[in-house]
Amino acid sequence: MRIVVKVGTSTLAHATGRLNIRHVEELVKVLSDLKNAGHEMILVSSGAIGMGVGKLNLPGKPSDMPTKQAAAAVGQCELMYTYDKLFSQYNHTVAQILLTSEDIDHEDRRQNFENTMARLLELGALPVINENDTVATAEIKVGDNDTLGGIVACSVGADLLVLLSDIEGLYTADPRKDPSARLIPTVEAVTPEIEALAGGKGSDLATGGMETKLRAAKMVTAQGCDMVITNGEHPERLYDIAEGKAVGTRFLGGKKGEKR
């Protein structure tokens, strides 16, 4: 299969912004193993700003754009250095692609992106994609990496998009506030009732929430791609997800072009 895995800041970094070494090492190991098994793997990675916050010893996530962009510039180096080093241990070559919404919205630029991705996969590389936070301002931001994951999955014709988050999946209510909330294992269509279950964003370093995940689900399922939301603390679950086993919440892709 062609699998896009989006990993959130909460999985990659501790609350301090410093790298969560255990999580990242386990994630790289599992992705490498799935690639060895014959799957084409694409990683959409958050974490640049969060890691820059830690590396620059800032007190928290900055609110002003120049400091965010400075943190992203520092954090992106750290992030790619880490991925390159770890994937190299398993004999896999990574490629970095940084995008803004302009790269997606303009037909020529989107076609260039799709051509590059196709060639990288043919060459056996593992693309690591992030928003270009060092230059993206409000006008040209995709906004969050759940949406970016959905865009990438649609652009490359992925079979599966996995969102590794700080939550187990979609619940009947917010499990942080309601102890009776139940995990929904399968969603056949993103209906208004399902959309109404979306709460706010999770951790302080994150930008996404359930709302952005459901937006990604609508996007990819319309293209016939399944999507799974699960907790990023357990990267080994990717094995079961790739085999179609029940993990987290799986949104079922319809036939291409079929409205869901």
Side-chain angles (χ1 to χ4, degrees):
M1 289 194 295
R2 183 169 287 181
I3 304 172
V4 177
V5 176
K6 175 262 172 180
V7 58
T9 304
S10 58
T11 300
L12 294 171
H14 294 288
T16 58
R18 293 288 186 180
L19 185 70
N20 188 322
I21 295 169
R22 180 166 58 94
H23 283 177
V24 176
E25 286 186 343
E26 184 65 22
L27 174 69
V28 168
K29 182 179 173 183
V30 174
L31 292 175
S32 296
D33 203 20
L34 287 169
K35 196 164 175 359
N36 288 348
H39 298 294
E40 289 181 324
M41 306 303 298
I42 297 160
L43 180 61
V44 175
S45 176
S46 301
I49 293 177
M51 291 181 82
V53 166
K55 191 99 176 177
L56 291 167
N57 294 313
L58 299 176
K61 187 174 178 180
S63 55
D64 65 292
M65 186 62 73
T67 311
K68 279 184 184 176
Q69 291 173 320
V74 171
Q76 196 64 45
C77 294
E78 177 88 350
L79 201 57
M80 285 310 299
Y81 168 75
T82 302
Y83 283 137
D84 187 41
K85 183 180 174 189
L86 293 176
F87 276 111
S88 292
Q89 292 175 3
Y90 299 103
N91 297 313
H92 290 302
T93 300
V94 294
Q96 180 184 35
I97 297 181
L98 297 173
L99 295 172
T100 67
S101 66
E102 286 191 336
D103 300 315
I104 305 301
D105 295 340
H106 289 68
E107 192 174 336
D108 288 350
R109 287 165 75 164
R110 184 177 183 130
Q111 189 62 57
N112 288 337
F113 164 61
E114 291 176 2
N115 292 344
T116 301
M117 287 293 292
R119 195 72 184 107
L120 283 170
L121 293 172
E122 283 173 11
L123 292 168
L126 194 153
V128 179
I129 300 169
N130 196 356
E131 183 152 21
N132 195 349
D133 289 318
T134 56
V135 299
T137 56
E139 295 79 30
I140 59 169
K141 280 186 78 66
V142 174
D144 64 273
N145 277 350
D146 294 326
T147 302
L148 185 60
I151 290 167
V152 170
C154 291
S155 296
V156 302
D159 302 294
L160 175 64
L161 168 64
V162 183
L163 302 182
L164 296 180
S165 181
D166 58 355
I167 195 166
E168 296 292 332
L170 179 65
Y171 284 82
T172 53
D174 187 342
R176 298 180 180 96
K177 300 173 184 170
D178 186 348
S180 66
R182 289 178 296 105
L183 181 71
I184 302 170
T186 308
V187 175
E188 294 189 2
V190 183
T191 61
E193 291 76 20
I194 292 292
E195 289 180 290
L197 299 175
K201 70 174 186 176
S203 67
D204 289 340
L205 287 171
T207 53
M210 194 53 67
E211 189 178 346
T212 63
K213 290 168 179 56
L214 294 181
R215 191 184 310 140
K218 283 180 87 167
M219 197 185 304
V220 302
T221 54
Q223 297 295 317
C225 174
D226 279 14
M227 189 186 98
V228 172
I229 302 171
T230 191
N231 197 314
E233 283 199 20
H234 309 285
E236 70 279 1
R237 290 180 179 175
L238 286 167
Y239 291 121
D240 289 338
I241 292 169
E243 292 174 11
K245 294 178 183 175
V247 176
T249 301
R250 184 177 286 258
F251 296 79
L252 303 179
K255 291 175 184 171
K256 295 211 173 183
E258 175 183 292
K259 198 128 177 139
R260 292 185 72 78

